Amino acid sequence: MSNEQISGAEALMRSLEHEGVDTLFGYPGGAIMPTYDALYDHKDTLNHILVRHEQAAVHAAQGYVRASGRVGTVIVTSGPGAMNTITGIADAMMDSTPLVVICGQVGAAMLGTDAFQEVDVIGVTQPISKWAYQIRRPEDIAWAVSRAYYIARSGRPGPVVLDFTKNAQTGMVDYEPAHVSFIRSYDPVPVPSDDIIRHAAALINQSVKPLVLVGQGVELANATTELRQLLEKAQMPAGTTLLGLSALPTDHPLNMGLLGMHGNLAPNVMTNQCDLLIAIGMRFDDRVTGNLNTYAKQAKIIHFDIDPSEIDKNVKTDLAVVGDCKDTLRRLLPLVDQATHNAWIDGFQPYREKEENKVIEPAIHPTDGPLLMAEVVREVSEQTNRKAILVTDVGQNQMFGCRYFQYSLPRSVITSGGCGTMGFGLPAAIGATFGAPERTVCCFCGDGGLQMTIQELGTILEYGSPVKIILLNNNFLGNVRQWQAMFFNHRYSFTPMVNPDFEGVARAYGIPGATVTKREDLALAVEKMLRTPGAYLLQCAVKEEDNVMPMTPPGANVDEMILSVE
């Protein structure tokens, strides 16, 4: 034991440094004030980003994680401060994002008394986190912090919550750093048997029409190289989930595009024609599968996933390979035959051409009318040489962004998948600039979502975060409006938006910008945005009633895609 007595707050700082933390996102308040006082002496090693709202702290940490591959850290106060993180914690849980969220709490002696700004943080967050723990004694800090980061980053990643009572912050302790690398009954990385790997290889080698579904788990496991080696050796076409988009370069010849409701026609149709479906690091979300009663019923299904709870949850599998996909793909590769599936791959082409001619080409190269979201997205993508990080908010901006942005590097897509959180985009983009400062970060927002966290322009003002904000302004809550048009007889109930002068708002925060209304001005406006140092707001006045197509209607079969509403 050390002879040095330090406060619990100081022990937290040293524990964070021991875990390799260098960036924090947070907001101070009464119950966490001793921790912030200790942080004052660690400013050289712990870079704290003061956000303008606690929800934004979590989203910023998510962006940092998704860009860097590290664990994110958030510090907030008790009561309303802690409650404001709930949306972000739930979002991180659904999208497997490793975070440690540290919340202040009233002193242990006052717990349960309805003290000022006391909320049962553990009770609220347990269902939406991997682990939630209340630190009541300074002696438990080193252990709890080490365990928190171990749980957050290991296995299927996710958020962890530490509820830090005030007496634990102020109490004195003989501090020794802890290192947790084992928890009884917690098996974060199952290892499948050799027989299972051989069985998977046999199914692949016997297949005539294989299709690989690529999820974010491939990137989380840093297995993009192994994925490409497998696809190329066995010549298997692949589709990607929304969060798995950048696991394969857009122009890879075996990349058939995006799966799901607003995905590409070919991989969705061919899902119901393949004889073997190989899902890697994805969870068969309902937006990917459509009607489960008709989903890939003709195919045998292999599911590679690190989380056994995902196996057979939505789709019954013929073979489960439960483990880290970097390891399982590496073990699988030598057992898979060099193969060709030319006829099968050629079968995708008519559907790709149909979508290209009817949907994609008119969207990115329109000849008249208002600006379209797709052409704005593709212009930014081309001018960043397909090397930028795409961050989106949620809605039509998200679907157009993910469909028409193009990728050449892993970790290039940051978006809210499972939770679909409006307001995610701007703070996540700020976090991404700290997670990958060497890359250009392009944030596509709608006018609705931007206003949910528009106060984070103040964070940009303070820290100079060089986010390129592309506002696709259609004066509507566009995705809801599209559904109202298609399924509610054009009854636009509270979806039209009366908006402020966004360019003026940005200017008030010291952020330069411009507004584009004409197609012929778009390329130069994007060029100016990209060459302007620091943050920039490019507002694009886009067609008000533009629709994201193709679309699988809710409840329809995955291959029943609508190409047009006209």
Side-chain angles (χ1 to χ4, degrees):
M1 294 288 290
S2 167
N3 292 322
E4 183 187 11
Q5 284 250 318
I6 60 174
S7 72
E10 175 64 21
L12 174 64
M13 296 300 108
R14 297 190 190 184
S15 296
L16 294 177
E17 291 170 346
H18 184 66
E19 291 296 324
V21 175
D22 60 11
T23 303
L24 315 168
F25 301 90
Y27 204 97
I32 198 69
M33 206 174 296
T35 291
Y36 269 86
D37 185 64
L39 181 58
Y40 190 85
D41 295 323
H42 291 259
K43 289 186 289 187
D44 292 339
T45 54
L46 295 171
N47 182 29
H48 180 276
I49 309 303
L50 176 65
V51 296
R52 272 40 182 179
H53 190 281
E54 291 91 352
Q55 179 179 340
V58 186
H59 294 328
Q62 288 175 275
Y64 170 86
V65 171
R66 301 265 286 274
S68 69
R70 305 182 68 187
V71 180
T73 305
V74 174
I75 300 183
V76 298
T77 195
S78 65
M83 292 301 97
N84 282 342
T85 68
I86 299 304
T87 298
I89 293 169
D91 192 291
M93 188 67 177
M94 290 195 75
D95 287 352
S96 304
T97 305
L99 304 174
V100 174
V101 180
I102 301 165
C103 306
Q105 183 56 280
V106 301
M110 301 183 70
L111 290 170
T113 68
D114 290 332
F116 179 66
Q117 293 191 334
E118 180 197 358
V119 170
D120 182 4
V121 171
I122 302 302
V124 171
T125 60
Q126 270 184 331
I128 56 170
S129 61
K130 280 190 75 176
W131 186 53
Y133 180 77
Q134 188 172 73
I135 303 173
R136 297 188 180 188
R137 305 185 313 149
E139 292 84 359
D140 296 333
I141 291 168
W143 167 84
V145 170
S146 183
R147 182 180 168 114
Y149 280 88
Y150 172 63
I151 291 174
R153 70 165 67 93
S154 60
R156 180 179 180 173
V160 168
V161 177
L162 293 178
D163 194 33
F164 198 13
T165 61
K166 200 163 188 179
N167 63 287
Q169 298 173 55
T170 58
M172 304 302 286
V173 63
D174 291 322
Y175 173 75
E176 288 285 345
H179 178 67
V180 175
S181 59
F182 171 79
I183 299 172
R184 190 174 61 184
S185 80
Y186 175 56
D187 183 16
V189 187
V191 180
S193 69
D194 290 340
D195 284 345
I196 288 175
I197 300 295
R198 282 194 290 267
H199 189 183
L203 289 173
I204 292 171
N205 292 337
Q206 294 161 13
S207 173
V208 177
K209 298 188 290 184
L211 177 61
V212 179
L213 310 184
V214 179
Q216 186 193 197
V218 172
E219 286 192 329
L220 293 176
N222 297 310
T224 55
T225 298
E226 290 79 4
L227 171 71
R228 289 177 66 171
Q229 289 172 340
L230 176 65
L231 296 180
E232 290 165 3
K233 184 176 183 182
Q235 203 196 20
M236 295 188 293
T240 65
T241 66
L242 193 72
L243 298 185
L245 270 167
S246 61
L248 270 178
T250 305
D251 61 359
H252 193 285
L254 293 171
N255 187 350
M256 299 299 160
L258 177 64
L259 300 162
M261 176 176 280
H262 287 298
N264 294 112
L265 180 63
N268 281 327
V269 170
M270 301 305 258
T271 294
N272 278 359
Q273 295 184 23
C274 67
D275 63 8
L276 179 66
L277 202 63
I278 306 159
I280 307 176
M282 55 88 71
R283 57 188 179 85
F284 289 110
D285 177 75
D286 60 285
R287 288 295 173 101
V288 167
T289 65
N291 182 5
L292 283 171
N293 294 323
T294 60
Y295 182 77
K297 293 301 181 183
Q298 79 294 339
K300 291 190 173 182
I301 297 176
I302 306 174
H303 193 175
F304 289 78
D305 206 284
I306 201 167
D307 185 354
S309 71
E310 290 297 343
I311 305 300
D312 296 335
K313 186 178 80 174
N314 296 325
V315 173
K316 177 68 177 173
T317 58
D318 295 277
L319 180 66
V321 185
V322 182
D324 183 283
C325 66
K326 188 175 185 72
D327 172 63
T328 54
L329 294 182
R330 189 178 285 163
R331 292 168 60 194
L332 177 70
L333 194 60
L335 305 178
V336 170
D337 294 340
Q338 194 86 37
T340 57
H341 297 103
N342 293 332
W344 166 238
I345 291 171
D346 288 345
F348 285 75
Q349 196 56 32
Y351 299 106
R352 300 183 81 180
E353 291 177 356
K354 184 176 183 180
E355 183 182 356
E356 183 72 30
N357 294 332
K358 290 197 170 185
V359 179
I360 296 174
E361 187 61 25
I364 61 175
H365 294 128
T367 55
D368 56 15
L371 276 171
L372 300 182
M373 296 190 205
E375 67 177 313
V376 175
V377 172
R378 183 58 61 87
E379 183 67 37
V380 176
S381 179
E382 294 293 335
Q383 290 203 33
T384 53
N385 199 27
R386 300 185 297 117
K387 292 182 178 178
I389 294 177
L390 168 74
V391 185
T392 80
D393 206 81
V394 166
Q396 286 187 319
N397 64 87
Q398 177 186 37
M399 293 296 102
F400 278 115
C402 290
R403 277 182 55 85
Y404 291 100
F405 214 77
Q406 296 185 315
Y407 319 98
S408 61
L409 301 172
R411 296 194 175 276
S412 291
V413 180
I414 300 174
T415 192
S416 172
C419 232
T421 303
M422 287 180 69
F424 174 90
L426 183 60
I430 292 170
T433 65
F434 291 97
E438 74 284 358
R439 298 183 66 184
T440 300
V441 176
C442 297
C443 178
F444 288 85
C445 295
D447 41 302
L450 177 60
Q451 291 182 87
M452 287 197 169
T453 50
I454 198 168
Q455 76 282 340
E456 297 311 312
L457 295 176
T459 306
I460 293 176
L461 169 66
E462 181 165 352
Y463 297 97
S465 181
V467 179
K468 307 302 183 185
I469 306 163
I470 301 96
L471 171 59
L472 302 173
N473 188 352
N474 58 7
N475 296 303
F476 267 103
L477 297 175
N479 210 46
V480 183
R481 182 214 55 77
Q482 178 171 335
W483 282 52
Q484 288 173 334
M486 296 178 68
F487 309 118
F488 293 89
N489 198 30
H490 294 268
R491 289 161 58 87
Y492 294 156
S493 179
F494 298 98
T495 48
M497 298 283 285
V498 176
N499 288 318
D501 173 5
F502 287 107
E503 196 181 337
V505 172
R507 192 164 50 246
Y509 284 96
I511 299 170
T515 298
V516 179
T517 59
K518 298 178 180 178
R519 180 162 294 113
E520 56 268 28
D521 298 333
L522 177 62
L524 282 176
V526 171
E527 181 185 343
K528 181 179 179 182
M529 174 187 71
L530 293 174
R531 72 167 185 260
T532 301
Y536 194 94
L537 173 73
L538 179 62
Q539 176 177 217
C540 300
V542 296
K543 181 179 178 181
E544 287 194 347
E545 299 193 62
D546 199 1
N547 293 314
V548 187
M549 291 291 156
M551 180 179 185
T552 302
N557 301 336
V558 68
D559 54 358
E560 294 178 336
M561 298 199 83
I562 301 170
L563 295 184
S564 171
V565 293
E566 280 76 35

